[in-house]
Amino acid sequence: GSCLTVSNSVAVNIKVLLEGPYQGAGLMSDALRTSSLLPTSEPYTAMGFTQTGGGGGETVNASVFTTTGDNAIVDWVLVELRNATTPSQVMSTRCGLLQKDGDIVGPDGVSSLVLSALPGNYYVAVRHRNHLGIMTGSAVALSGNAASIDFRQSATPTWGTQARKDLGGL
């Protein structure tokens, strides 16, 4: 017979803004980068955040932090895929990099974030060590083709009430 190949990874293109470094016009400050304060290894595992599904231990080449402009790195973030029926259950994690324009990218500083999980429906949460987290309001279909989730837009449903703060329309 025939053989069916099923990918064990999914990709996401997530956009989010952090209020603390937000400067307006849809951009955040990259002061941690310009002050050489960003670690080349993800900080979440050492801080006690639980990693699962292959997440944790991500590292970057220091050259990733030389990018300037809208794609300059602001900080590390932790992305979680949560069970579609029990959103408190974290299925997979991956640490990514947040750019000035709100894009969350992989450790190479440019690619979509890829997580170890079978294609399917998941709640998607973004956490940061100094900010409140955010999660989609319903499960999102994920596959090897990067799904887009833009938490900056009020039309994107989120979990809970008042899960975001309006920053001049974003």
Side-chain angles (χ1 to χ4, degrees), residues 32-162:
L32 292 176
R33 182 194 68 80
T34 60
S35 299
S36 299
L37 296 174
L38 291 175
T40 55
S41 298
E42 60 86 7
Y44 294 96
T45 302
M47 294 175 67
F49 285 78
T50 302
Q51 303 276 357
T52 188
E58 293 84 357
T59 61
V60 300
N61 186 305
S63 66
V64 169
F65 298 142
T66 63
T67 300
T68 59
D70 292 354
N71 292 328
I73 303 303
V74 171
D75 205 355
W76 286 91
V77 293
L78 175 66
V79 175
E80 299 173 333
L81 300 185
R82 293 172 174 234
N83 186 291
T85 55
T86 310
S88 61
Q89 183 183 13
V90 178
M91 307 297 292
S92 182
T93 61
R94 184 81 173 150
C95 295
L97 299 168
L98 179 62
Q99 296 177 334
K100 281 181 73 166
D101 62 2
D103 296 329
I104 295 175
V105 295
D108 66 357
V110 294
S111 300
S112 299
L113 192 65
V114 176
L115 295 99
S116 296
L118 293 174
N121 296 327
Y122 299 92
Y123 284 87
V124 179
V126 178
R127 300 179 71 188
H128 184 270
R129 54 191 165 173
N130 297 328
H131 294 82
L132 296 175
I134 192 165
M135 186 169 72
T136 56
S138 60
V140 176
L142 301 179
S143 69
N145 297 322
S148 294
I149 302 168
D150 192 345
F151 285 113
R152 303 170 311 163
Q153 302 300 316
S154 61
T156 302
T158 57
W159 183 268
T161 58
Q162 299 179 351

Side-chain angles (χ1 to χ4, degrees), residues 6-10 114-119:
V6 177
S7 173
N8 63 351
S9 63
V10 297
V114 176
L115 295 99
S116 296
L118 293 174

